[in-house]
Amino acid sequence: MPEEPNAQNRDVDDSEFLDIARDPADARSLRNSLELLRKGAAGPILKEMAEEVLSGRLSLRQAVNVSSYAEAGLAESRDAQEKWAAMSDAEREELAAQGEAAHREAEREAAGPTGHPTPKTKPRHDGSTWSLY
């Protein structure tokens, strides 16, 4: 039997992350990071977590309270920290420059055609209600 279309069957937009991110560019960056996780960049557990968050079935705040997701996130964080420690100063500077450029691009995209940030909209998971789904 096919699923009925509803709000839970579509991906959330950047506004979902405005309560966590400082601005629309950070919200877009956070969403882009979740898209990478959804593609399996950090393994199957974080892939599942990203799918749950991006589909709207869980908020990001709820997801980090799921022990298997939190443990996988911590393990991935330790791996990234070890890779960072093994890099030379030049490699770190290059990576930081790439990140800064990507952040500036995300800010430009978030500003839209007017050059001003898009107005904040109330995210679906604003904390006023609680639901596992």
Side-chain angles (χ1 to χ4, degrees), residues 4 104 116:
E4 293 181 32
R104 282 193 301 276
H116 300 289

Side-chain angles (χ1 to χ4, degrees), residues 98-109:
Q98 291 172 1
E100 297 260 340
H103 185 73
R104 282 193 301 276
E105 179 61 27
E107 286 179 329
R108 280 193 294 277
E109 288 177 15

